[in-house]
Amino acid sequence: MKASPGARSWIAAGVRHELLTRALPALRHDMAAPVSVIRMALLMLKRQIGAPAIEAAACEERVALIDNQVSELVEGIRSLRDWELATVDDGITRSALVAQCVSLMRAAFDMHGVSLDVDPALEAQAHEARRPQGAALRYLFLGALGYLHDGGSDAGAIRIEADGDDALRLSALPRESSGVSPVLDAHRAPRALAIDAVALQSLAEDLGYNVALERDSVRFSLAAG
């Protein structure tokens, strides 16, 4: 039975939920870090206030630190809106898209013995064009990473390259044979919610983008349609 448009949308929503779940550990860490600094700064501030002689300069320094960390925490909370497709965003540059997604997933991929190799041509440049629908592109990029990561256990790296002026190509590179399998990779648990070709195509179609899939590579344009 062919899936209805509503069913296909639910499939895509499920894929987005899985991708957000995978990114959550990094998002949670980024928001928890300022809280730890704030707690330590408050402890030091209480000690300084309780001392026989209060050092105004030291107290001001702690207050400034707390204020800075609160700003970072607020910014982290606000960044959660970047994942809402219904929210109108300011778009995103290609280099920023790559940097953000690689930062979110690098630790998790490293634990499975898969490195993320970014082409130097994708470094931030002055006057770089912004592509619309930053949230959609973020999900699409993470979906491509998930597809290459879940597709086989022999990948040792994923290469991320510019493809023309308005596209990206991600390629899985085979693991170099060293005679010894990575310990963490040997205990890698199978995923019931793997990002396969059907999942990635459903996601791309729902978001309005075209992807070209091969067994070891994904190419997609940053322009919808």
Side-chain angles (χ1 to χ4, degrees):
M1 180 183 297
K2 187 175 182 180
S4 67
R8 291 196 293 271
S9 294
W10 275 110
I11 292 171
V15 176
R16 293 198 305 273
H17 179 271
E18 169 63 14
L19 293 172
L20 180 56
T21 299
R22 297 186 187 194
L24 270 178
L27 294 172
R28 187 166 55 241
H29 176 271
D30 290 344
M31 286 187 284
V35 175
S36 298
V37 177
I38 290 170
R39 292 181 64 183
M40 181 60 68
L42 284 173
L43 177 61
M44 297 300 297
L45 185 59
K46 287 179 180 179
R47 290 181 179 177
Q48 289 166 345
I49 293 175
I54 298 178
E55 298 182 16
C59 290
E60 290 176 359
E61 181 181 343
R62 299 299 176 188
V63 170
L65 176 60
I66 292 171
D67 182 65
N68 176 265
Q69 294 301 304
V70 168
S71 297
E72 289 195 16
L73 181 58
V74 170
E75 186 63 29
I77 295 173
R78 286 177 176 170
S79 72
L80 293 177
R81 293 181 301 181
D82 295 342
W83 299 88
E84 300 176 16
L85 294 178
T87 301
V88 177
D89 57 50
D90 297 329
I92 193 169
T93 65
R94 182 166 62 175
S95 62
L97 173 68
V98 173
Q100 288 180 16
C101 292
V102 168
S103 176
L104 284 171
M105 304 308 299
R106 187 182 294 280
F109 277 54
D110 283 346
M111 288 184 65
H112 290 159
V114 181
S115 62
L116 297 178
D117 182 14
V118 180
D119 185 346
L122 289 171
E123 294 180 359
Q125 301 178 10
H127 309 296
E128 189 175 354
R130 300 185 73 87
R131 278 71 177 183
Q133 303 185 71
L137 288 172
R138 188 176 295 104
Y139 278 116
L140 188 59
F141 189 99
L142 293 178
L145 284 178
Y147 169 78
L148 296 174
H149 177 270
D150 297 352
S153 59
D154 58 341
I158 294 177
R159 176 71 172 171
I160 303 160
E161 300 174 295
D163 192 327
D165 295 329
D166 202 44
L168 288 168
R169 179 178 294 276
L170 287 71
S171 306
L173 306 178
R175 191 185 306 278
E176 294 182 3
S177 177
S178 60
V180 180
S181 299
V183 174
L184 289 173
D185 206 50
H187 296 281
R188 184 178 182 182
R191 295 194 65 91
L193 297 175
I195 306 298
D196 57 15
V198 174
L200 184 54
Q201 285 284 11
S202 297
L203 174 68
E205 290 175 7
D206 187 70
L207 296 175
Y209 291 85
N210 295 318
V211 293
L213 303 182
E214 297 181 9
R215 182 180 179 276
D216 297 322
S217 69
V218 177
R219 181 195 182 278
F220 63 90
S221 172
L222 303 184

